[in-house]
Amino acid sequence: MSEHQQLYKVIQNRIQEGDGFLPFDRFMQAALYEPGLGYYESKTVFGEKGDFVTAPELGPWLSLGFADLLFWAWKELGEPTQWTLLEQGSGSGKLLASTLAMIAQFSMAKPATVISVERSAQLRDRQIELFADAGFNVEVVSSLDAVAPRENIIVFSNELPDAFPVRCFCHNGGSFYERGVVASEAGFDWKNSETVIEDGPQIAEELIAGWQDGYISEWNPGLEGWQQQLAAIVERGFIFTNDYGYSQQEYYREGRREGSLMAHIGQAASEDVLEDPGSRDITAHVDFTVLVKAGRAVGLTPLLWMSQGGWLAQSPSVQAFVQSLAVQNDATSMHLMAHAKRVLMPYGMGEVFKILGQAKGVESARPDYLSQFDHLDHLQR
């Protein structure tokens, strides 16, 4: 029996255990993270040989931007000689390795401790090999539970909360109904529960008032717990989260009637998130309004929220690298500039991806060099 067949059977059994109905977050959890069988446990997911390309696979642009943020945050912390750098959801490890190489060129103390948090066993193995080859001493752990609370810590992530399992709903007659998965002859299908959700999403009433019956979407119940975990670890420091998402006002607007769930397989996007679980990535956009609210509740103060394009375009290291490529004007530089357009421009990743900065235990405002394009006020509406 193949891994996909085994996973199919696991999900079928859970549907049976749930009297024929499995909430979507439990389906997504199994499809992505079932030990030894889930998508992130059994496939090469990143890069040209994987199912999708993330910004770290498109040149140094993201690591340049993060390096500038880390340098700024380190200075805001008082330029400590002992500090910790942590990336969560490190994937292939390329972003962390590249960022470490970048900050080594800055006039700053090297992090005394570097931690990579990655839940996938196969990706942790790949990271250990990559960091060893690059000469970096990195602690690779499976969860934040393995990280003790500490001061002077900077945490960053790229495309992390979009892969947290989400719950799905259909709004009818003024009530939220759970959308889940049932077994069918063809595989798996959607079904709406007949029971009203008691612990539903935190969505503004004025947005709900504009919906027509049958409005379908999702919400991410893991954001609150994630912020609680980070707040417990970060006694004094900064958190930078880069991911695709919206303000709640944009996420749940009347015209977005089918949510943001998407699958990725073979370098292509697909709306069929139920087909052949384990063969494809499943993601949903991030509601940054809820994320900021959850952070505030546990002492994480938001500093900035802007598009990836706006952030990187203002980053000094990105600007300097662009200028150096313009001088070279060869095939390599043209190739890198093509990738830059994909990462920075609105028609690529530049607009839908957002960077959120948060602080705890340190009085700070957003970096001076990021004075434009900050839309944090959009999350307060």
Side-chain angles (χ1 to χ4, degrees):
M1 185 181 293
S2 70
E3 291 176 344
H4 286 182
Q5 290 172 327
Q6 293 178 59
L7 181 58
Y8 185 92
K9 188 65 176 176
V10 166
I11 295 173
Q12 275 193 323
N13 289 341
R14 290 178 186 165
I15 290 174
Q16 292 173 1
E17 292 167 1
D19 294 327
F21 182 89
L22 186 69
F24 180 76
D25 60 328
R26 293 189 60 198
F27 174 90
M28 185 172 172
Q29 175 74 32
L32 296 183
Y33 304 114
E34 188 69 21
L37 302 175
Y39 176 77
Y40 284 106
E41 294 290 347
S42 60
K43 286 200 69 176
T44 299
V45 299
F46 300 106
E48 294 181 359
K49 295 182 179 179
D51 288 324
F52 55 90
V53 176
T54 60
E57 314 288 335
L58 296 174
W61 306 107
L62 212 59
S63 53
L64 287 166
F66 273 123
D68 282 339
L69 280 176
L70 297 181
F71 182 52
W72 170 84
W74 174 76
K75 289 190 293 184
E76 290 292 298
L77 290 172
E79 303 185 2
T81 56
Q82 298 289 315
W83 64 285
T84 298
L85 177 62
L86 184 153
E87 185 189 8
Q88 185 179 4
S90 310
S92 67
K94 288 184 177 180
L95 176 59
L96 180 54
S98 179
T99 303
L100 287 170
M102 296 293 177
I103 63 174
Q105 302 174 41
F106 284 69
S107 298
M108 62 186 296
K110 293 182 180 180
T113 303
V114 181
I115 303 171
S116 171
V117 180
E118 175 54 57
R119 66 184 300 169
S120 167
Q122 70 138 340
L123 289 175
R124 288 198 303 274
D125 290 341
R126 289 175 59 186
Q127 287 182 25
I128 290 170
E129 183 177 351
L130 173 67
F131 297 142
D133 289 345
F136 294 127
N137 183 17
V138 180
E139 297 178 19
V140 181
V141 300
S142 62
S143 74
L144 289 175
D145 294 335
V147 183
R150 63 195 67 204
E151 293 187 345
N152 297 330
I153 177 172
I154 306 173
V155 178
F156 74 105
S157 65
N158 181 59
E159 295 191 50
L160 175 64
D162 69 77
F164 292 177
V166 296
R167 292 176 67 182
C168 297
F169 67 80
C170 180
H171 191 263
N172 267 316
S175 297
F176 289 93
Y177 294 88
E178 189 105 38
R179 295 189 80 216
V181 181
V182 296
S184 67
E185 291 184 4
F188 300 109
D189 281 330
W190 288 101
K191 183 179 181 180
N192 295 338
S193 170
E194 297 178 1
T195 304
V196 174
I197 298 175
E198 299 296 336
D199 56 339
Q202 302 173 19
I203 301 174
E205 289 296 331
E206 59 266 28
L207 294 175
I208 297 174
W211 298 348
Q212 296 182 7
D213 272 356
Y215 188 94
I216 289 171
S217 195
E218 66 281 327
W219 83 100
N220 192 329
L223 295 179
E224 184 176 348
W226 180 50
Q227 293 289 277
Q228 290 171 350
Q229 277 191 299
L230 289 175
I233 291 169
V234 179
E235 294 181 341
R236 181 173 183 267
F238 294 90
I239 301 166
F240 299 106
T241 303
N242 191 55
D243 211 334
Y244 41 88
Y246 309 109
S247 68
Q248 186 167 101
Q249 189 173 28
E250 172 63 21
Y251 201 124
Y252 296 110
R253 60 182 172 82
E254 183 180 356
R256 198 184 303 280
R257 293 179 48 83
E258 296 186 353
S260 69
L261 268 180
M262 189 66 64
H264 298 272
I265 182 170
Q267 300 287 343
S270 169
E271 294 182 357
D272 193 346
V273 298
L274 301 185
E275 183 180 355
D276 197 12
S279 70
R280 62 199 61 211
D281 188 27
I282 304 172
T283 71
H285 284 54
V286 177
D287 179 347
F288 277 97
T289 300
V290 166
L291 182 57
V292 164
K293 183 178 179 181
R296 282 188 183 277
V298 291
L300 302 179
T301 302
L303 303 177
L304 65 91
W305 184 66
M306 65 178 61
S307 70
Q308 176 176 286
W311 158 42
L312 295 179
Q314 297 177 90
S315 293
S317 293
V318 172
Q319 294 174 350
F321 192 57
V322 168
Q323 291 172 0
S324 70
L325 293 179
V327 172
Q328 294 176 31
N329 194 30
D330 56 16
T332 300
S333 62
M334 293 174 65
H335 183 69
L336 285 168
M337 286 303 298
H339 285 332
K341 291 179 180 179
R342 184 171 174 183
V343 173
L344 273 78
M345 298 301 288
Y347 56 77
M349 300 176 175
E351 185 60 34
V352 70
F353 278 74
K354 310 294 194 308
I355 181 79
L356 171 67
Q358 297 166 291
K360 184 185 175 188
V362 54
E363 292 293 328
S364 186
R366 69 167 181 249
D368 289 340
Y369 71 86
L370 294 179
S371 59
Q372 296 181 305
F373 313 121
D374 184 8
H375 298 301
L376 183 59
D377 62 313
H378 290 191
L379 305 183
Q380 324 283 357
R381 296 175 181 175

